[in-house]
Amino acid sequence: MIFSEVLKSHAEPLVKEIIQHPFLTDITTNTLAPAAIIAYVQQDEFYLSQYALALKAAADLAPSPTIAHVLMPLLFEPNSESIAHTWLLKSIDISQVEQLPTTVPNPTTQAYIDFLFANKSKDFFSLITALLPCAWVYPEFAKQLVPQEVTDNPLINWLQLYDNQFPDLLKMDLATVLFTILDQETFTQSKQQQLLAIFLQGCIYEWHFFDATYFQKTRLLANTSTITMEELMNA
Ligand SMILES: Cc1ncc(CN)c(N)n1
């Protein structure tokens, strides 16, 4: 199995759990509470601004000009996903992110960002692997949650965006590029295990991000998803 498939197969149980998270089920039923929408958009604006910096750092650390060249066109504008936020806010009659109070990152957001930059300090491939869950998890749940039939639920646009149904607004090809970079490299068994742990940790942060904004948690809860890191590593 190629390395990217190994990563994905270990994370699959977690993706199933994310799909069942009330944040996403409430999106599909148009019952997501305004407070959760506001908390999510605020935290995500902040998170994505930091993610853009981490992605830029990856391009700077690229081990070859070829890899740097592949990464360059993907360098995230901090507001490239703002249409997703605009759609969420519109559903609760807020027209712009600027109308929200200034964001202070909650502990989960801060921990996820710290995790990205901690992996930047390790090496290029650790950073690429840490960046992957953000790029991979959304299209994974979106393709499973987008309804097949026409709906008047205004929140479905948000899912369709991540299902790559509006490529002119947001192209969802970052995960493919990052996985390809990993697949073109040969890693020792122990390096593969390290990268797997980083990938799974990032996916766990994705679950926590929804949970923290859904319940507006202001403290960090370790391992409140029902699947443990050990179970995922050994699956
Ligand atoms: C936390 C988080 N993870 C992923 C995505 C989708 N790029 C996002 N907007 N925010």
Side-chain angles (χ1 to χ4, degrees):
M1 208 193 286
I2 57 173
F3 187 48
S4 58
E5 292 304 322
V6 174
L7 297 178
K8 290 176 200 174
S9 70
H10 278 270
E12 225 33 79
L14 209 48
V15 172
K16 283 204 184 103
E17 187 155 309
I18 290 172
I19 286 173
Q20 288 162 18
H21 193 281
F23 186 98
L24 292 177
T25 52
D26 285 4
I27 288 262
T28 62
T29 53
N30 193 16
T31 52
L32 191 56
I37 291 181
I38 290 170
Y40 173 84
V41 171
Q42 279 186 299
Q43 294 300 315
D44 208 40
E45 284 281 318
F46 186 79
Y47 169 81
L48 290 175
S49 70
Q50 301 303 299
Y51 186 88
L53 298 179
L55 193 56
K56 163 95 175 49
D60 293 341
L61 281 177
S64 73
T66 318
I67 296 182
H69 189 72
V70 169
L71 285 172
M72 282 306 177
L74 296 163
L75 294 189
F76 237 65
E77 286 299 317
N79 57 0
S80 66
E81 287 182 49
S82 55
I83 185 67
H85 297 161
T86 304
W87 287 338
L88 291 180
L89 291 178
K90 255 198 189 152
S91 73
I92 52 168
D93 278 336
I94 297 178
S95 62
Q96 294 187 31
V97 171
E98 289 69 38
Q99 285 176 253
L100 300 178
T102 314
T103 307
V104 175
N106 70 35
T108 301
T109 304
Q110 191 59 57
Y112 195 179
I113 292 164
D114 290 348
F115 159 82
L116 296 179
F117 285 97
N119 281 295
K120 175 192 162 217
S121 310
K122 290 182 195 157
D123 59 81
F124 171 75
F125 293 106
S126 298
L127 176 56
I128 290 291
T129 309
L131 290 166
L132 257 163
C134 170
W136 177 65
V137 165
Y138 276 46
E140 279 304 296
F141 66 64
K143 76 177 170 216
Q144 296 194 46
L145 289 175
V146 160
Q148 299 309 311
E149 66 284 358
V150 177
T151 163
D152 57 6
N153 175 354
L155 299 178
I156 294 301
N157 274 353
W158 182 82
L159 281 177
Q160 289 170 326
L161 184 80
Y162 291 114
D163 188 35
N164 205 22
Q165 294 188 21
F166 301 106
D168 293 345
L169 297 175
L170 183 66
K171 253 199 176 156
M172 295 303 297
D173 54 1
L174 180 59
T176 307
V177 172
L178 299 181
F179 278 132
T180 304
I181 290 173
L182 292 183
D183 284 338
Q184 284 171 348
E185 199 64 27
T186 309
F187 299 111
T188 62
Q189 268 301 333
S190 87
K191 187 66 185 175
Q192 286 193 14
Q193 285 299 102
Q194 284 171 24
L195 295 178
L196 173 61
I198 293 169
F199 184 70
L200 295 174
Q201 184 65 64
C203 293
I204 290 171
Y205 275 123
E206 287 293 330
W207 184 92
H208 279 288
F209 194 90
F210 284 129
D211 210 60
T213 52
Y214 187 80
F215 294 108
Q216 291 105 64
K217 278 183 203 149
T218 52
R219 64 195 176 102
L220 183 63
L221 296 181
N223 281 326
T224 44
S225 85
T226 55
I227 308 172
T228 66
M229 185 74 162
E230 284 74 26
E231 283 167 346
L232 294 166
M233 288 291 286
N234 297 324

